[in-house]
Amino acid sequence: MPQEIERKFLVTGEYKSQAYAQSRIVQGYICSARGRTVRIRIRDDRGYLTIKGASDAAGISRYEWEKEIPLDEARELMKLCEPGVIDKTRYLVHSGRHTFEVDEFYGENAGLTVAEVELASVDEPFEKPAFIGQEVTGDVRYYNSQLMRRPFSTWE
């Protein structure tokens, strides 16, 4: 089974000038149950269907399967999604041998910016860029499926 191993951080500094690419992402969830999610994503002009399993105890690793689907099918599937949508711009920033995906959120999640780095193993070392702040790996509030239900703007 394909495993996704990643760590997630809040962003506290400037990152846009370091980005080598960016894309707009809109996504919804057909299922956002804890331990299993089915996501529809439109990234620029491409559609994706993603299924994710439960995270390990530390929130670092979980099953992930993704397949590109035709854009018109992704748009149709978005109509079946649970209420709420995630709208963000993703910036890609190199740091050492890794790429950080920095997500700047809009709408009800405006004001939130997080960065993720995918790793080959749970204990793989990586270089943190200067804009990386507090680690939030495993904090379910920062999962996109949870931000859809309980947006950042509603936090106290």
Side-chain angles (χ1 to χ4, degrees):
M1 280 192 197
Q3 287 292 117
E4 171 188 58
I5 300 170
E6 67 182 16
R7 296 194 36 203
K8 187 178 287 197
F9 303 87
L10 296 178
V11 172
T12 59
E14 202 287 317
Y15 56 90
K16 290 181 183 177
S17 64
Q18 300 170 55
Y20 67 87
Q22 71 181 62
S23 57
R24 189 66 178 255
I25 296 172
V26 176
Q27 66 191 42
Y29 290 83
I30 291 175
C31 174
S32 64
R34 191 160 181 172
R36 60 189 171 280
T37 60
V38 179
R39 176 183 76 199
I40 303 300
R41 174 179 278 177
I42 297 173
R43 184 174 186 161
D44 294 329
D45 60 352
R46 301 176 97 154
Y48 300 89
L49 170 64
T50 307
I51 299 171
K52 294 187 179 195
S55 295
D56 66 4
I60 295 174
S61 176
R62 65 180 167 175
Y63 171 82
E64 180 182 66
W65 176 90
E66 185 170 78
K67 181 174 173 84
E68 186 171 349
I69 60 175
L71 181 58
D72 60 333
E73 291 179 13
R75 287 183 176 136
E76 286 300 311
L77 287 170
M78 287 290 284
K79 296 175 186 176
L80 299 176
C81 289
E82 298 171 357
V85 69
I86 297 294
D87 184 10
K88 60 189 179 181
T89 296
R90 172 164 290 168
Y91 299 87
L92 302 180
V93 178
H94 287 302
S95 181
R97 297 184 346 247
H98 295 90
T99 298
F100 278 78
E101 297 176 336
V102 182
D103 290 343
E104 177 184 0
F105 291 86
Y106 304 115
E108 290 186 298
N109 289 300
L112 178 62
T113 305
V114 298
E116 297 176 351
V117 61
E118 290 204 13
L119 304 170
S121 66
V122 173
D123 57 355
E124 180 182 2
F126 59 94
E127 293 178 35
K128 289 183 189 174
F131 59 79
I132 292 296
Q134 175 187 346
E135 183 165 7
V136 294
T137 301
D139 186 335
V140 297
R141 294 177 303 161
Y142 293 97
Y143 290 7
N144 284 282
S145 59
Q146 296 302 310
L147 289 169
M148 178 201 67
R149 285 192 203 154
R150 189 165 172 251
F152 183 68
S153 64
T154 67
W155 298 8
E156 292 185 13

